[in-house]
Amino acid sequence: MEPGSVENLSIVYRSSDFLVVNKHWDVRIDSKTWRETLTLQKQLRHRFPELADPGTYYGFRFCHQLDFSTSGALCVALNKAAAGSAYRCFKERRVTKAYLALVRGHVQESRVTISLAIGRSCVEGRAHTMCTEGTPGCESPKPSLTELVVLEHGLYAGAPVSKVLLKPRTGRTHQLRVHCSALGHPVVGDLTYGQPGGREAQPFRMMLHALYLRIPTRTERVEACTPDPFLPALDACWSPHTLEHPLEQLVQALQASPDPDPMDGGPGPCNSTPLPGPGRPPPPQPKSPETETQRASCLQWLSEWTPEPDS
């Protein structure tokens, strides 16, 4: 996966209501800052100018978030009704996600369940970062759960690393990065939660990628699997030597798994509208354009159920 440009946006799923893109690393989703020369919003406007909605603040409705440094599957709703349907899936915790990562060291257990509450750090110099419960300065930690499966052991630039599949069961801010770091195996290239001493300056990117996404809306099962970017053919620094679990089998298991039962996710997003269906009239058209305040309210709600709200 080459670095992002305005022209090279990759689409992995498309319907009349949704797009799923394979976001590049080191690209923001959107930005009001003129200095941001490349954002996903600009890529979408370049590729699909006819799909931009002037009634939204940025032109597109992003159903969830990914960190600036994280690549992979990201869903875009193409109308307000579709966005409301996707938001409802996040609210009910029915969305299935899986990530790939290269982490420092060789994880000894083939499968690990990480159950560590995550809160915001109030330590000076650590603004906008997260921490696990019990860490000095950790405020308002919330229960957080991540499943980890080791795929391969190997070396990255001569240092031991493990390639892992991560499945977040909750969606706290920076959850996967914080949990991997707390486990003693930070994500390779993670400058925030990685190892001190300049070791993380070597990789050209943070090695975290959103591999798989499934959003079972009422009228459409949005499902996408992006290509694996952590292959020796794509990065000569990565040299795997021991296979623990074949990725293809785990992806097949994800695809065959049933959708989670709806759960009460607490307060929902702003004014989500159901898609048309049997016995229901079409949703009313919005009377006024979506405001920045409304969008911020949606993103505040989404940040409780998506791993990376940087982003």
Side-chain angles (χ1 to χ4, degrees), residues 42-161:
K42 290 181 180 179
Q43 289 179 310
L44 286 166
R45 280 188 178 275
H46 178 82
R47 179 77 172 272
F48 303 107
E50 73 282 5
L51 297 181
D53 186 345
T56 64
Y57 193 78
Y58 288 103
F60 295 90
R61 294 179 173 88
F62 300 105
C63 298
H64 56 113
Q65 304 182 54
L66 287 178
D67 271 352
F68 168 75
S69 302
T70 303
S71 60
L74 191 143
C75 185
V76 183
L78 300 181
N79 54 69
K80 190 171 184 179
S85 182
Y87 289 157
R88 186 171 294 102
C89 289
F90 280 95
K91 174 187 175 182
E92 296 176 348
R93 310 186 203 183
R94 303 191 69 215
V95 176
T96 299
K97 293 183 177 184
Y99 291 70
L100 287 177
L102 297 182
V103 299
R104 293 289 181 187
H106 288 164
V107 182
Q108 296 305 307
E109 301 86 354
S110 63
R111 294 177 181 267
V112 182
T113 298
I114 310 169
S115 180
L116 296 170
I118 293 176
R120 294 193 176 275
S121 176
C122 65
V123 175
E124 186 176 357
R126 298 287 294 177
H128 310 297
T129 64
M130 310 302 290
C131 52
T132 54
E133 188 173 21
T135 303
C138 188
E139 289 186 337
S140 305
K142 297 180 180 179
S144 309
L145 187 66
T146 300
E147 294 180 359
L148 179 152
V149 180
V150 177
L151 302 174
E152 295 176 291
H153 289 145
L155 301 174
Y156 191 88
V161 301

